[in-house]
């Protein structure tokens, strides 16, 4: 079992989370589901991604999996010192991708259970209700996870979308 720890969310973290929410709005505006994420490396290098499940007809095109792909050429040591910021707590698939990528820290704004309360149900695929903390706790390496953050904008991007 991995050790899952927390550092606490700082003002700088909140700034990055607001950018993730802005990316979620961009995804929503272009017709995708409202999720956005960014990866910040130890030297300040940044990669960004948003959901593309609709526009690319890819059920794995979540913001976090797209981001892991975008950062595929980052060195493992750099990924281990990097922080992934996401507008909403990652699903089990995305948590697995984050884990396998070697990213060292995850910070999220909107909790998956709060999102679940907004969504009446999935049309085709029922949700897989497994928190990211549960996924990471089953791994063999330590992870730092902080969230949810109290950002009203993170809930707002989902409001009236899932009806």
């Amino acid at each position: 079992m991995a050790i899952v720890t927390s550092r606490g969310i700082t003002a700088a973290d909140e700034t990055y989370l607001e950018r993730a929410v802005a990316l979620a709005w961009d995804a929503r505006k272009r017709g995708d589901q409202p999720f956005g994420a960014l990866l910040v490396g130890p030297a300040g290098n940044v990669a960004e991604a948003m959901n593309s499940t609709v526009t690319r007809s890819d059920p794995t095109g979540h913001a976090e999996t797209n981001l892991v792909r975008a950062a595929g050429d980052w060195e493992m040591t750099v990924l281990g010192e990097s922080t992934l910021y996401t507008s909403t707590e990652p699903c089990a698939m995305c948590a697995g991708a984050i884990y396998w990528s070697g990213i060292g820290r995850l910070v999220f704004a909107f909790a998956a259970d709060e999102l679940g309360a907004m969504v009446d149900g999935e049309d085709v695929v029922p949700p897989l209700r497994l928190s990211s903390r549960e996924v990471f706790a089953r791994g063999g390496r330590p992870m730092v996870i902080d969230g949810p953050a109290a950002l009203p904008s993170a809930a707002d991007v989902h409001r009236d979308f899932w009806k």
Side-chain angles (χ1 to χ4, degrees), residues 98-144:
I98 293 164
Y99 174 82
W100 287 112
S101 74
I103 293 168
R105 181 174 181 233
L106 166 70
V107 183
F108 64 90
F110 198 50
D113 59 346
E114 292 179 85
L115 176 61
M118 283 184 159
V119 179
D120 291 332
E122 298 289 329
D123 291 338
V124 179
V125 181
L128 177 59
R129 302 207 188 275
L130 183 65
S131 78
S132 58
R133 280 185 173 86
E134 290 176 84
V135 173
F136 295 130
R138 300 291 182 154
R141 69 176 178 88
M143 288 286 303
V144 178

Side-chain angles (χ1 to χ4, degrees), residues 6-96:
S6 174
R7 290 187 197 157
I9 297 172
T10 67
D13 292 332
E14 288 183 3
T15 299
Y16 287 123
L17 287 172
E18 289 290 1
R19 176 62 187 148
V21 171
L23 290 166
W25 276 110
D26 289 347
R28 180 177 175 161
K29 289 173 190 168
R30 76 174 187 196
D32 282 301
Q33 294 173 343
F35 299 97
L38 61 145
L39 185 65
V40 179
N45 44 327
V46 177
E48 298 183 339
M50 59 184 122
N51 185 286
S52 62
T53 57
V54 175
T55 56
R56 291 193 182 156
S57 300
D58 179 2
T60 68
H62 294 196
E64 299 87 351
T65 54
N66 288 339
L67 185 59
V68 166
R69 287 183 199 107
D73 61 347
W74 291 26
E75 293 182 21
M76 286 299 289
T77 55
V78 172
L79 287 168
E81 297 175 20
S82 298
T83 300
L84 190 151
Y85 295 93
T86 186
S87 59
T88 306
E89 181 178 3
C91 70
M93 176 186 69
C94 292

